Amino acid sequence: MKIIIGADHGGVELKDLMVKHLETLAHEVEDIGTHGPQSVDYPNYAAMVAAAVTGGRADRGILICGSGIGMSISANRFHGVRAALVTEPYAAKMSRRHNDSNVLCLGGRFLGRDLAFAIVDAWLVEPFEGDRHQRRLTLVDELARTRL
Ligand code: RB5
């Protein structure tokens, strides 16, 4: 799977560990940074990951900031992104089964490495169930388009 990953300074430590983890699982990883502890603005990274996923350059995206919240707010502004902020593996699975999440958001300041790896591992293999869940996702897009 081609995975694009980005983080701000609050998520860079976990992001660097995650890149290595994904590579050991033989995924193709595009790491867009950040690459150090200097303060940066998370919306720039969310926008780059969103564009890669919606444009088809990557199959999935992973975004990590301090809490994951700013990344999830930002990524979900982009049409075609279904970003899920999760803190444990079951929610990651459900975000795939019911929501067809294509971007995973994590909080680097409170998730330990092993829990983060377990979340990502679960998220990468879980399939979307489609059917009534697809109908609801289609409704999400329709309402967003017509009720503004
Ligand atoms: C940066 O200090 C922090 O605000 C950011 O990483 C993230 O947690 C925002 O939601």
Side-chain angles (χ1 to χ4, degrees):
M1 198 179 283
K2 171 83 193 278
I3 300 166
I4 184 164
I5 185 166
D8 74 355
H9 53 289
V12 65
E13 213 172 301
L14 180 57
K15 186 266 292 173
D16 289 344
L17 294 168
M18 191 63 74
V19 168
K20 290 194 184 77
H21 176 65
L22 292 168
E23 285 171 348
T24 65
L25 297 175
H27 292 292
E28 188 187 341
V29 184
E30 182 179 346
D31 177 2
I32 59 159
T34 189
H35 296 292
Q38 300 81 9
S39 180
V40 294
D41 297 327
Y42 64 79
N44 292 317
Y45 298 88
M48 284 191 273
V49 166
V53 171
T54 60
R57 197 173 90 236
D59 302 305
R60 303 274 187 88
I62 298 175
L63 287 165
I64 310 176
C65 63
S67 63
I69 296 169
M71 288 295 199
S72 63
I73 291 171
S74 189
N76 276 315
R77 296 289 179 95
F78 295 85
H79 181 72
V81 168
R82 294 175 299 281
L85 169 60
V86 305
T87 56
E88 47 80 42
Y90 183 69
K93 286 185 187 184
M94 292 308 291
S95 83
R96 288 288 313 137
R97 284 185 209 165
H98 287 194
N99 313 109
D100 197 19
S101 60
N102 52 10
V103 173
L104 183 71
C105 301
L106 301 173
R109 289 196 174 125
F110 56 82
L111 277 184
R113 184 195 68 165
D114 291 345
L115 179 56
F117 289 176
I119 290 169
V120 167
D121 292 352
W123 182 71
L124 286 172
V125 298
E126 198 70 17
F128 177 47
E129 286 178 2
D131 195 40
R132 68 187 186 281
H133 304 297
Q134 182 56 61
R135 190 182 71 242
R136 290 164 186 156
L137 288 173
T138 302
L139 192 55
V140 168
D141 286 337
E142 276 174 17
L143 292 173
R145 198 177 57 245
T146 59
R147 302 286 169 94
L148 292 178

